[in-house]
Amino acid sequence: MTRKRLFQILGILIAAVWIASGILAFGVLRARKNQPSTTALPSLTTTAPSTTAPTTTTSPFGTSASPFGTTQNPTASTTGSSLFPTSGTTASPYGPASTTPSVPSTAAGIAVPSGKSAIVAAYINAINTLKSTPNFQLVKTETLNIVLDEITPSSVQSIANKIIESNRKTSPDNYRFSGGVDAASGLSPNNVIAPIGRQASLSESGVQSATATPTAGGGYKMRLTFGKDVQTLTNEAPVYSGVFETLNKDTMGLPAASKVDDFTVTYDNSSIEATVDSSGRLVSFVHSITVVNSEGRGSLVMPVTTKMHGSYTGTYDISY
């Protein structure tokens, strides 16, 4: 069985009932491997944030009181998210975020973005530039931790737990892109780097805090933190889908006769850390995502419901 992502496990657990009934459930990676490597990048819909202070949007979710911390999107591009708390500064080991997007320079002369607006723009530009870079090497390491809180019928609990356990593998995937394609997998950078199959997009209002600090080598490090965001069967998570890899029912590779009736995934307390070198190139970044709760309901031979929570860490190391 191919290794799944955190956000495909929900569908795979639903499929556990079908496995118990002798029906084979296929993973999302099979569907991805069938994607053409020349997938065209959609046009970037995110406009560069202005230097004026953004208008504060009242969040319908309010501040999350989850013990996991603070969670994307019918339109993951230009609107950002009104699901987040207001965007003040947050204490960070990378230093306080400034509200003024000034651009101090490192000793080597590269501009270091300062202020949430400039840092968000710098990260989105760096990711989308990488997605369209034809030649580079990438090592992608993923760590998955899932806790199955409840599954009905209980007779498939042991199968579901085995599925979860089989997805704890953390061996890295290695890609060598030449001319925009990895020869071994046939994939393009756009189909490997999150968000999968699309350009990244994010607005300042979708970020809780953002900091950037110079590095000794003349580049800089960025850290962005994210709060609560919710995804459903009919709507993407407004913020998370623009920068992270999230659940996509259409690419789970589930049996054609399957029916997913409903699911809800609540994300929270997540972050991105990225390093840019003295030439302005992205050389590493880490996506850390917490799923506070997810619930799903589906059927084929019989109905099944699941509840679970967990976390995902995706580490990308790049060399040119």
Side-chain angles (χ1 to χ4, degrees):
M1 180 180 294
T2 55
R3 182 162 50 97
K4 285 56 169 199
R5 308 285 193 263
L6 173 61
F7 313 113
Q8 280 73 49
I9 294 296
L10 176 63
I12 299 304
L13 290 183
I14 292 174
V17 172
W18 312 332
I19 295 173
S21 303
I23 297 174
L24 180 62
F26 297 94
V28 66
L29 293 188
R30 172 174 176 174
R32 285 198 184 148
K33 287 178 180 178
N34 291 331
Q35 291 178 338
S37 62
T38 55
T39 302
L41 289 172
S43 59
L44 179 61
T45 54
T46 301
T47 57
S50 67
T51 57
T52 57
T55 302
T56 301
T57 304
T58 302
S59 167
F61 286 87
T63 302
S64 171
S66 165
F68 291 85
T70 315
T71 334
Q72 148 170 95
N73 170 21
T75 58
S77 55
T78 60
T79 59
S81 172
S82 60
L83 303 179
F84 286 82
T86 55
S87 60
T89 57
T90 302
S92 164
Y94 292 82
S98 169
T99 58
T100 303
S102 57
V103 284
S105 298
T106 65
I110 185 172
V112 180
S114 179
K116 188 191 295 187
S117 178
I119 295 169
V120 168
Y123 176 74
I124 293 302
N125 179 69
I127 284 292
N128 289 334
T129 297
L130 183 64
K131 279 175 170 280
S132 61
T133 298
N135 305 312
F136 65 97
Q137 296 178 49
L138 170 67
V139 179
K140 183 177 180 180
T141 305
E142 298 173 288
T143 303
L144 181 66
N145 294 296
I146 295 176
V147 177
L148 180 61
D149 300 309
E150 181 181 323
I151 188 167
T152 304
S154 58
S155 59
V156 299
Q157 172 118 25
S158 62
I159 295 176
N161 285 332
K162 288 180 181 178
I163 292 172
I164 291 173
E165 189 60 35
S166 71
N167 282 278
R168 297 190 188 280
K169 180 182 176 183
T170 58
S171 59
D173 293 316
N174 293 272
Y175 301 93
R176 184 185 294 270
F177 297 104
S178 178
V181 179
D182 171 63
S185 65
L187 295 174
S188 69
N190 193 43
N191 287 326
V192 173
I193 298 168
I196 303 298
R198 65 173 80 179
Q199 285 194 308
S201 59
L202 181 64
S203 71
E204 179 182 355
S205 62
V207 179
Q208 282 191 319
S209 66
T211 59
T213 55
T215 59
Y220 60 88
K221 288 185 177 181
M222 295 178 280
R223 177 177 171 84
L224 290 73
T225 64
F226 301 81
K228 184 178 180 181
D229 208 3
V230 178
Q231 178 179 4
T232 67
L233 179 63
T234 56
N235 294 309
E236 293 182 322
V239 172
Y240 280 52
S241 66
V243 286
F244 294 113
E245 182 175 357
T246 55
L247 178 64
N248 186 336
K249 179 178 69 68
D250 296 331
T251 61
M252 284 181 186
L254 298 178
S258 66
K259 181 182 179 183
V260 179
D261 299 309
D262 192 23
F263 67 77
T264 301
V265 181
T266 302
Y267 309 99
D268 206 346
N269 193 31
S270 302
S271 66
I272 294 174
E273 296 183 4
T275 302
V276 173
D277 68 10
S278 59
S279 297
R281 303 175 302 183
L282 194 60
V283 293
S284 68
F285 60 100
V286 179
H287 287 181
S288 301
I289 308 171
T290 299
V291 173
V292 177
N293 182 60
S294 65
E295 300 182 15
R297 180 167 49 89
S299 61
L300 182 58
V301 176
M302 62 186 79
V304 59
T305 61
T306 64
K307 291 184 179 180
M308 62 185 179
H309 67 278
S311 63
Y312 165 85
T313 302
T315 301
Y316 299 73
D317 292 306
I318 304 111
S319 58
Y320 299 91

